[in-house]
Amino acid sequence: QSCHRPAGASQEPGSRGLPEGVEYIPTRKKGKNPMKPVGVAWYSLYARTRLGYLFYQRQVKKARERYPHGHSTPQPYCFPGLKILPIPVLSNNYSYLVIDTSSNQAAVIDPSDPLAVQAVIEEEGVMLEAIFCTHKHWDHSGGNGVLCQKHNSCRVYGSALDAIPQLTNPLADREKVSVGCLTFKALATPGHTVGHMVYVLDGGPFGSPPCLFSGDLLFLAGCGRPFEGSPETMLASLDMAMGLGEDTLLWPGHEYALECLTFASLLELDNSALEQKLQWAVQQRQEKRSTCPSTLGEEQTYNPFLRTDQPELQEALGLWQGAGEEPDAFRARVLKEVRRRKDLYQAT
């Protein structure tokens, strides 16, 4: 499988729209997301009890039957000494195998389906030294145990604030971990869960942009639900991620691009960057191709969860900053309204 190396630091959306005579109908219900039927009771069962794990196992079984070769066709990304392999798992998740090609040492981010991840490890002939878990939810951490049994030297990294299965090495905010020549920095990004972390790969030694493995903090044109945090908490976490720089490659935890872009297009009707990205994503998904990565610079042009400071979005939502209201307090209010509308959109 050939590697794709992005020109500059971004993956530019194509200029093609829908083929003539083809009508685009959003396929929001095609891939089941276990977190959609969310209420307080359901979330507690999923995140905190064995019933959640049993539900996760059912999801894995059904996804393997429905998508024996994965829900999408990913494209490996290569730089001298570095290889990043997106692994499509479950119905819309991504795990990532990150390889130091000089030593054949590797790390995996969020191994949802251990069989799918192990197959790629064996195909690449690498040694798995680390699992980086963004958060405790089973669709991101469910494969930790099986992989640790197969790879005795493998360590599991994540936040001690989340009940991450098989956690061996709790990480503090901004702590760095090396795997061969790979250096990852953990950033605490609470909101989706209290202990949610993202991981930033230093691309400098390889001539690569930084790589953000964002879990359920940030998606292409979307962000995760704040199950265990306030809008203010989620806003601070998003701001931290956006401080990494516009050329940073975004590797999200889910293939939600079409749903998120379609929703965003209902908010900003005259956003040309959004329109172009949506047309590109439609083409990608018609061909079952992955939509990742994007860049943080791109995301700022069309992701409504990152555009809370933009007058166009504020006006579209019918929100105005109150007299004496702090700018970040107003942005949190905008974020809360975008989230509310997105949740209603998902429910339809």
Side-chain angles (χ1 to χ4, degrees):
Q1 193 174 26
S2 62
C3 286
H4 176 67
R5 184 176 180 181
S10 65
Q11 185 180 52
E12 295 296 332
S15 59
R16 293 178 296 172
L18 288 170
E20 185 176 354
V22 175
E23 178 186 5
Y24 168 57
I25 300 175
T27 55
R28 282 172 286 157
K29 297 185 179 180
K30 187 173 182 180
K32 289 187 178 179
N33 174 3
M35 304 312 295
K36 278 190 177 180
V38 165
V40 174
W42 165 250
Y43 180 74
S44 295
L45 288 173
Y46 180 81
R48 302 187 179 105
T49 73
R50 182 165 175 78
L51 286 176
Y53 180 67
L54 294 175
F55 183 83
Y56 151 78
Q57 287 185 311
R58 179 173 175 267
Q59 292 295 113
V60 171
K61 182 177 182 294
K62 292 179 68 174
R64 287 173 182 169
E65 293 171 351
R66 183 171 186 177
Y67 307 108
H69 304 294
H71 58 73
S72 302
T73 302
Q75 183 70 48
Y77 275 69
C78 298
F79 302 86
L82 169 67
K83 189 174 186 180
I84 299 175
L85 291 158
I87 306 171
V89 289
L90 304 186
S91 61
N92 53 41
N93 282 71
Y94 285 111
S95 301
Y96 296 96
L97 187 67
V98 185
I99 303 171
D100 166 20
T101 58
S102 64
S103 67
N104 269 357
Q105 292 180 290
V108 67
I109 291 89
D110 287 355
S112 308
D113 183 343
L115 294 187
V117 172
Q118 180 62 26
V120 178
I121 291 171
E122 293 177 3
E123 182 179 346
E124 295 295 319
V126 297
M127 299 172 290
L128 183 65
E129 299 293 340
I131 293 171
F132 292 101
C133 224
T134 59
H135 62 294
K136 64 191 175 187
H137 292 159
W138 292 112
D139 62 322
H140 293 258
S141 65
N144 291 1
V146 171
L147 289 174
C148 286
Q149 290 175 0
K150 288 183 175 291
H151 304 274
N152 294 332
S153 64
C154 182
R155 313 298 289 172
V156 179
Y157 298 87
S159 172
L161 298 178
D162 263 18
I164 292 174
Q166 283 73 46
L167 180 68
T168 60
N169 292 61
L171 294 175
D173 182 34
R174 301 184 183 276
E175 188 170 349
K176 293 182 179 181
V177 178
S178 293
V179 178
C181 295
L182 308 171
T183 301
F184 295 86
K185 181 162 71 171
L187 296 176
T189 51
H192 185 66
T193 66
V194 69
H196 193 286
M197 279 187 152
V198 299
Y199 300 97
V200 183
L201 173 67
D202 180 6
F206 313 103
S208 159
C211 293
L212 170 62
F213 299 95
S214 61
D216 280 2
L217 171 69
L218 187 61
F219 311 129
L220 194 153
C223 87
R225 293 186 184 186
F227 290 123
E228 299 179 11
S230 65
E232 291 79 9
T233 300
M234 183 63 84
L235 179 66
S237 292
L238 291 170
D239 283 349
M240 175 181 287
M242 294 311 296
L244 296 173
E246 292 186 356
D247 67 332
T248 301
L249 296 177
L250 172 65
W251 302 92
H254 290 270
E255 180 57 71
Y256 287 162
L258 266 189
E259 178 180 306
C260 290
L261 285 164
T262 303
F263 166 72
S265 70
L266 301 177
L267 297 181
E268 293 194 75
L269 303 179
D270 298 319
N271 186 325
S272 59
L274 172 56
E275 181 181 358
Q276 185 182 25
K277 191 69 176 184
L278 176 57
Q279 291 177 350
W280 172 83
V282 167
Q283 190 69 39
Q284 288 290 102
R285 297 312 297 154
Q286 284 181 337
E287 299 170 1
K288 304 299 182 186
R289 292 184 178 274
S290 170
T291 59
C292 60
S294 66
T295 69
L296 295 186
E298 274 192 273
E299 291 298 311
Q300 286 179 312
T301 67
Y302 53 67
N303 187 328
F305 296 95
L306 301 178
R307 293 173 57 78
T308 54
D309 61 339
Q310 295 299 307
E312 302 93 330
L313 179 62
Q314 296 165 2
E315 183 177 348
L317 297 173
L319 296 177
W320 288 268
Q321 187 172 353
E325 186 177 19
E326 292 293 327
D328 282 349
F330 177 50
R331 291 177 59 217
R333 190 155 59 87
V334 174
L335 184 68
K336 182 178 180 180
E337 178 61 16
V338 175
R339 181 74 264 169
R340 185 188 72 84
R341 295 192 185 200
K342 180 64 163 61
D343 292 345
L344 289 173
Y345 173 79
Q346 287 178 315
T348 59

